[in-house]
Every structure is written in C-alpha cells, then in structure tokens.
Amino acid sequence: MGTFIQAVDGTKIYVEDVGSGQPVVFLHGWPANNNMFEYQKNLLVEEGYRYVGIDYRGYGKSDAPATGYDYKTMASDINEVIEQLKLTNVTLLGFSMGGGIALSYLLQYGDSKVSKLVLAGAAAPVFTQRDGYPYGMTKEEVDALIADTKQDRPSMLKGFGEIFFAKEHPEPLQQWFHGLSIAASSHGTIQSAIALRDEDLRGKLGDIKVDTLIIHGKKDQVCPFEFAEEMQKEIPHARLEVFEESGHGMLLDEQEKFNETLLSYVKGNQTV
C-alpha cells in the first residue's frame, strides 16, 4: 500500500510499502521514482520480504517543494521514513543518485537500523570530475544538462535515456521508463542535478561500517565503472559484483542476474 510520511520541513514523502517480513528500502535514481524497481518489488514480495520504495521530494507522488534537494535534506527524509515506519534490520539499496543519498544517510544517522547496503550503479563517491578524480561528467556537462532541462525537459530525458542502457529494449519498456522521469517535477529535476554536480563524499566513506555490496555495470556511461572501484577502495566492508553486459540500467540490462544477486544478498548468502 502507499503511505505518506511527513518530513522535518512538512514535505509529504510518498512511500510504497508492500509485503511483510524483513524490509528492503529502495532509493531511486535521477530523475525517476520508486516504480523503477517494479521487477524487484514483485520478486521480494513473492519471497516474503517487505518492499519499501521511497519517492524523493520532487519525484513521483511526493510533494515538490522549492528547496531541499541537497543530500543532507534528502537523507533526513529517508531517516523520517525509517523512523516513522519503525523499520529495523534494513537492507538499504541506493541506485545511482540514490547511492549517494544512501551513503549520506548512513554518514549522518549511523547504521543502527541498517544491516546491509547495496550500491547499484551509484553516483559516488563524487559524480563530476575533480582534481585527482578524472571520472564521470565535467561540471560543465552537467550545467549543459541543466540548461537543456530548462529549455526542453522531455528531449533532455530522451537523450539521457539513450545512454542509460547497454542493451536494446522493447519500445513499450523504454516508453514506460521514460514516463517515470517525465512524472518528476522540473525544479526537483534541476535542483537535484545541481546536488549531483556538487556533492562530494570522498574521504568520508571509511566511516561506512555496514556490510556493503557494490553492483556496477562495466559499460556504464552515466556513472563510469571507475566509480565502483573508488568506492570499493574507501568502504571497508565492500565487495564488488561486476555486471559485464550492463550499462547504467543493469536492473533491466541483466534483470535476471540483478534479481538473483540481490535476493542472494538479502537472504544472507556471502557468495553472490
């Protein structure tokens, strides 16, 4: 069922809460919503787990205030969901931008409620190129993406979708995925792109103590594979599962492998 959780500033955050048992909390990527995890939700509920999918402020069915799209505020929203739903022993999965938000949550609030972390195509430790970090887009490229969003958001999203996957997918599936992003607020899309451009978690990830699984597509054109290697260096208890045939959207590029890997990890198997 769907429910709304009130954030600290009064923003109503939509949560898809389905099933029972151990909770798996899903944090979506820019600029989609929790429905991008449809095929993981179906699997987990069938296996006896509780799917908790959060629409960030500005996305999906959540309120879209003018402010609050930085990682600190988004992490606060996640904390409110976990606290108000009284979730414990959580497996927290952050995809793309959701990976940065998941890490920010753990750095701010600790891991007392979280037992496992999955970073899937995560936009971390930093999304844009810096001195000593030659990976990802330049800040100028993100600025151009933001300018395109202000001018013609549907066309920007179409172009973004063209680099999202490494494999060809049926047109109806691509249109469905495109529709998830169209549903987002324009200012939320812009403001969180600014956060993606500017947030930097380097040097902090050594404080992540929870067991961590990094899943990353070798052909990722959005968050290059080097991101995964950098995260594995910094996070003490991280191991890396390489998806050789996947781009950024490994959830669909290698859907069966992704689901099997996730389910095995949630169940507690150490070999994935």
mmCIF file of all heavy atoms in Angstrom, residues 170-195:
data_model
loop_
_atom_site.group_PDB
_atom_site.id
_atom_site.type_symbol
_atom_site.label_atom_id
_atom_site.label_comp_id
_atom_site.label_asym_id
_atom_site.label_seq_id
_atom_site.Cartn_x
_atom_site.Cartn_y
_atom_site.Cartn_z
ATOM 1 N N PRO A 170 12.606 -3.412 -25.680
ATOM 2 C CA PRO A 170 11.400 -3.142 -26.465
ATOM 3 C C PRO A 170 10.902 -1.714 -26.265
ATOM 4 O O PRO A 170 11.030 -1.152 -25.171
ATOM 5 C CB PRO A 170 10.389 -4.165 -25.922
ATOM 6 C CG PRO A 170 11.230 -5.257 -25.346
ATOM 7 C CD PRO A 170 12.457 -4.587 -24.802
ATOM 8 N N GLU A 171 10.343 -1.140 -27.300
ATOM 9 C CA GLU A 171 9.872 0.237 -27.248
ATOM 10 C C GLU A 171 8.893 0.488 -26.100
ATOM 11 O O GLU A 171 8.998 1.511 -25.411
ATOM 12 C CB GLU A 171 9.232 0.625 -28.580
ATOM 13 C CG GLU A 171 8.777 2.071 -28.662
ATOM 14 C CD GLU A 171 9.919 3.076 -28.575
ATOM 15 O OE1 GLU A 171 11.076 2.705 -28.861
ATOM 16 O OE2 GLU A 171 9.640 4.226 -28.205
ATOM 17 N N PRO A 172 7.906 -0.404 -25.856
ATOM 18 C CA PRO A 172 6.998 -0.148 -24.724
ATOM 19 C C PRO A 172 7.725 -0.044 -23.381
ATOM 20 O O PRO A 172 7.359 0.795 -22.539
ATOM 21 C CB PRO A 172 6.040 -1.344 -24.753
ATOM 22 C CG PRO A 172 6.063 -1.804 -26.166
ATOM 23 C CD PRO A 172 7.480 -1.587 -26.621
ATOM 24 N N LEU A 173 8.753 -0.858 -23.193
ATOM 25 C CA LEU A 173 9.519 -0.809 -21.951
ATOM 26 C C LEU A 173 10.289 0.514 -21.844
ATOM 27 O O LEU A 173 10.327 1.137 -20.775
ATOM 28 C CB LEU A 173 10.478 -1.994 -21.874
ATOM 29 C CG LEU A 173 11.173 -2.233 -20.526
ATOM 30 C CD1 LEU A 173 10.151 -2.603 -19.460
ATOM 31 C CD2 LEU A 173 12.227 -3.322 -20.640
ATOM 32 N N GLN A 174 10.867 0.948 -22.933
ATOM 33 C CA GLN A 174 11.590 2.212 -22.936
ATOM 34 C C GLN A 174 10.642 3.385 -22.666
ATOM 35 O O GLN A 174 10.992 4.327 -21.945
ATOM 36 C CB GLN A 174 12.302 2.419 -24.273
ATOM 37 C CG GLN A 174 13.424 1.410 -24.525
ATOM 38 C CD GLN A 174 14.168 1.689 -25.813
ATOM 39 O OE1 GLN A 174 14.724 2.766 -26.003
ATOM 40 N NE2 GLN A 174 14.168 0.736 -26.714
ATOM 41 N N GLN A 175 9.438 3.331 -23.255
ATOM 42 C CA GLN A 175 8.463 4.395 -23.030
ATOM 43 C C GLN A 175 8.003 4.423 -21.571
ATOM 44 O O GLN A 175 7.805 5.498 -20.991
ATOM 45 C CB GLN A 175 7.260 4.214 -23.964
ATOM 46 C CG GLN A 175 7.552 4.529 -25.418
ATOM 47 C CD GLN A 175 7.979 5.975 -25.619
ATOM 48 O OE1 GLN A 175 7.457 6.888 -24.987
ATOM 49 N NE2 GLN A 175 8.942 6.185 -26.502
ATOM 50 N N TRP A 176 7.821 3.244 -20.996
ATOM 51 C CA TRP A 176 7.469 3.158 -19.569
ATOM 52 C C TRP A 176 8.550 3.814 -18.720
ATOM 53 O O TRP A 176 8.246 4.625 -17.828
ATOM 54 C CB TRP A 176 7.292 1.694 -19.167
ATOM 55 C CG TRP A 176 7.288 1.459 -17.682
ATOM 56 C CD1 TRP A 176 6.296 1.743 -16.803
ATOM 57 C CD2 TRP A 176 8.369 0.908 -16.898
ATOM 58 N NE1 TRP A 176 6.672 1.388 -15.525
ATOM 59 C CE2 TRP A 176 7.931 0.880 -15.552
ATOM 60 C CE3 TRP A 176 9.639 0.422 -17.213
ATOM 61 C CZ2 TRP A 176 8.737 0.393 -14.530
ATOM 62 C CZ3 TRP A 176 10.447 -0.062 -16.188
ATOM 63 C CH2 TRP A 176 9.989 -0.070 -14.859
ATOM 64 N N PHE A 177 9.790 3.497 -19.000
ATOM 65 C CA PHE A 177 10.882 4.041 -18.205
ATOM 66 C C PHE A 177 10.979 5.553 -18.395
ATOM 67 O O PHE A 177 11.196 6.297 -17.436
ATOM 68 C CB PHE A 177 12.200 3.356 -18.585
ATOM 69 C CG PHE A 177 13.243 3.459 -17.517
ATOM 70 C CD1 PHE A 177 13.256 2.573 -16.449
ATOM 71 C CD2 PHE A 177 14.204 4.444 -17.563
ATOM 72 C CE1 PHE A 177 14.210 2.669 -15.450
ATOM 73 C CE2 PHE A 177 15.165 4.559 -16.570
ATOM 74 C CZ PHE A 177 15.174 3.670 -15.518
ATOM 75 N N HIS A 178 10.791 6.003 -19.624
ATOM 76 C CA HIS A 178 10.797 7.444 -19.914
ATOM 77 C C HIS A 178 9.698 8.157 -19.123
ATOM 78 O O HIS A 178 9.905 9.251 -18.585
ATOM 79 C CB HIS A 178 10.604 7.653 -21.413
ATOM 80 C CG HIS A 178 10.566 9.090 -21.839
ATOM 81 N ND1 HIS A 178 11.682 9.897 -21.863
ATOM 82 C CD2 HIS A 178 9.537 9.866 -22.261
ATOM 83 C CE1 HIS A 178 11.349 11.104 -22.282
ATOM 84 N NE2 HIS A 178 10.057 11.117 -22.530
ATOM 85 N N GLY A 179 8.543 7.512 -19.023
ATOM 86 C CA GLY A 179 7.417 8.100 -18.308
ATOM 87 C C GLY A 179 7.684 8.307 -16.834
ATOM 88 O O GLY A 179 7.137 9.238 -16.222
ATOM 89 N N LEU A 180 8.531 7.471 -16.230
ATOM 90 C CA LEU A 180 8.880 7.651 -14.817
ATOM 91 C C LEU A 180 9.563 8.993 -14.590
ATOM 92 O O LEU A 180 9.326 9.668 -13.588
ATOM 93 C CB LEU A 180 9.808 6.520 -14.356
ATOM 94 C CG LEU A 180 9.280 5.088 -14.438
ATOM 95 C CD1 LEU A 180 10.350 4.116 -13.962
ATOM 96 C CD2 LEU A 180 8.011 4.918 -13.628
ATOM 97 N N SER A 181 10.416 9.373 -15.541
ATOM 98 C CA SER A 181 11.148 10.625 -15.410
ATOM 99 C C SER A 181 10.293 11.828 -15.772
ATOM 100 O O SER A 181 10.440 12.905 -15.181
ATOM 101 C CB SER A 181 12.402 10.584 -16.290
ATOM 102 O OG SER A 181 13.253 9.522 -15.897
ATOM 103 N N ILE A 182 9.408 11.661 -16.734
ATOM 104 C CA ILE A 182 8.500 12.739 -17.114
ATOM 105 C C ILE A 182 7.634 13.145 -15.919
ATOM 106 O O ILE A 182 7.272 14.314 -15.751
ATOM 107 C CB ILE A 182 7.606 12.310 -18.293
ATOM 108 C CG1 ILE A 182 8.423 12.277 -19.586
ATOM 109 C CG2 ILE A 182 6.403 13.214 -18.457
ATOM 110 C CD1 ILE A 182 8.835 13.640 -20.104
ATOM 111 N N ALA A 183 7.319 12.174 -15.048
ATOM 112 C CA ALA A 183 6.443 12.436 -13.899
ATOM 113 C C ALA A 183 7.092 13.311 -12.838
ATOM 114 O O ALA A 183 6.411 13.841 -11.961
ATOM 115 C CB ALA A 183 6.006 11.112 -13.271
ATOM 116 N N ALA A 184 8.409 13.494 -12.903
ATOM 117 C CA ALA A 184 9.108 14.296 -11.889
ATOM 118 C C ALA A 184 8.811 15.775 -12.074
ATOM 119 O O ALA A 184 8.474 16.240 -13.165
ATOM 120 C CB ALA A 184 10.608 14.048 -11.978
ATOM 121 N N SER A 185 8.962 16.539 -11.009
ATOM 122 C CA SER A 185 8.848 17.991 -11.116
ATOM 123 C C SER A 185 10.078 18.543 -11.831
ATOM 124 O O SER A 185 11.184 18.014 -11.691
ATOM 125 C CB SER A 185 8.731 18.622 -9.728
ATOM 126 O OG SER A 185 9.944 18.468 -9.004
ATOM 127 N N SER A 186 9.880 19.611 -12.587
ATOM 128 C CA SER A 186 11.013 20.184 -13.319
ATOM 129 C C SER A 186 12.038 20.794 -12.363
ATOM 130 O O SER A 186 13.247 20.590 -12.527
ATOM 131 C CB SER A 186 10.520 21.225 -14.325
ATOM 132 O OG SER A 186 9.820 22.268 -13.666
ATOM 133 N N HIS A 187 11.565 21.512 -11.342
ATOM 134 C CA HIS A 187 12.530 22.148 -10.439
ATOM 135 C C HIS A 187 13.233 21.120 -9.557
ATOM 136 O O HIS A 187 14.405 21.285 -9.222
ATOM 137 C CB HIS A 187 11.875 23.239 -9.588
ATOM 138 C CG HIS A 187 10.753 22.787 -8.732
ATOM 139 N ND1 HIS A 187 9.491 22.560 -9.224
ATOM 140 C CD2 HIS A 187 10.692 22.509 -7.402
ATOM 141 C CE1 HIS A 187 8.698 22.172 -8.246
ATOM 142 N NE2 HIS A 187 9.399 22.130 -7.132
ATOM 143 N N GLY A 188 12.537 20.028 -9.188
ATOM 144 C CA GLY A 188 13.203 18.961 -8.447
ATOM 145 C C GLY A 188 14.283 18.304 -9.291
ATOM 146 O O GLY A 188 15.379 17.993 -8.802
ATOM 147 N N THR A 189 13.986 18.096 -10.576
ATOM 148 C CA THR A 189 14.962 17.526 -11.506
ATOM 149 C C THR A 189 16.193 18.425 -11.604
ATOM 150 O O THR A 189 17.335 17.954 -11.577
ATOM 151 C CB THR A 189 14.321 17.351 -12.898
ATOM 152 O OG1 THR A 189 13.194 16.475 -12.796
ATOM 153 C CG2 THR A 189 15.311 16.772 -13.894
ATOM 154 N N ILE A 190 15.964 19.720 -11.692
ATOM 155 C CA ILE A 190 17.068 20.680 -11.815
ATOM 156 C C ILE A 190 17.872 20.768 -10.523
ATOM 157 O O ILE A 190 19.108 20.675 -10.536
ATOM 158 C CB ILE A 190 16.527 22.067 -12.197
ATOM 159 C CG1 ILE A 190 15.971 22.047 -13.625
ATOM 160 C CG2 ILE A 190 17.606 23.144 -12.059
ATOM 161 C CD1 ILE A 190 15.096 23.236 -13.967
ATOM 162 N N GLN A 191 17.177 20.917 -9.397
ATOM 163 C CA GLN A 191 17.882 21.118 -8.128
ATOM 164 C C GLN A 191 18.676 19.878 -7.711
ATOM 165 O O GLN A 191 19.774 19.996 -7.144
ATOM 166 C CB GLN A 191 16.884 21.506 -7.031
ATOM 167 C CG GLN A 191 16.262 22.877 -7.213
ATOM 168 C CD GLN A 191 17.306 23.979 -7.226
ATOM 169 O OE1 GLN A 191 18.207 24.012 -6.385
ATOM 170 N NE2 GLN A 191 17.190 24.888 -8.182
ATOM 171 N N SER A 192 18.155 18.697 -7.981
ATOM 172 C CA SER A 192 18.911 17.502 -7.609
ATOM 173 C C SER A 192 20.048 17.234 -8.593
ATOM 174 O O SER A 192 21.048 16.606 -8.227
ATOM 175 C CB SER A 192 17.995 16.282 -7.465
ATOM 176 O OG SER A 192 17.150 16.135 -8.568
ATOM 177 N N ALA A 193 19.936 17.743 -9.837
ATOM 178 C CA ALA A 193 21.081 17.683 -10.755
ATOM 179 C C ALA A 193 22.208 18.574 -10.242
ATOM 180 O O ALA A 193 23.394 18.238 -10.372
ATOM 181 C CB ALA A 193 20.657 18.102 -12.155
ATOM 182 N N ILE A 194 21.862 19.694 -9.642
ATOM 183 C CA ILE A 194 22.864 20.560 -9.017
ATOM 184 C C ILE A 194 23.549 19.827 -7.857
ATOM 185 O O ILE A 194 24.773 19.895 -7.692
ATOM 186 C CB ILE A 194 22.213 21.872 -8.539
ATOM 187 C CG1 ILE A 194 21.765 22.700 -9.749
ATOM 188 C CG2 ILE A 194 23.172 22.674 -7.658
ATOM 189 C CD1 ILE A 194 20.920 23.910 -9.396
ATOM 190 N N ALA A 195 22.749 19.093 -7.073
ATOM 191 C CA ALA A 195 23.335 18.307 -5.979
ATOM 192 C C ALA A 195 24.274 17.237 -6.535
ATOM 193 O O ALA A 195 25.396 17.050 -6.024
ATOM 194 C CB ALA A 195 22.228 17.668 -5.145
#
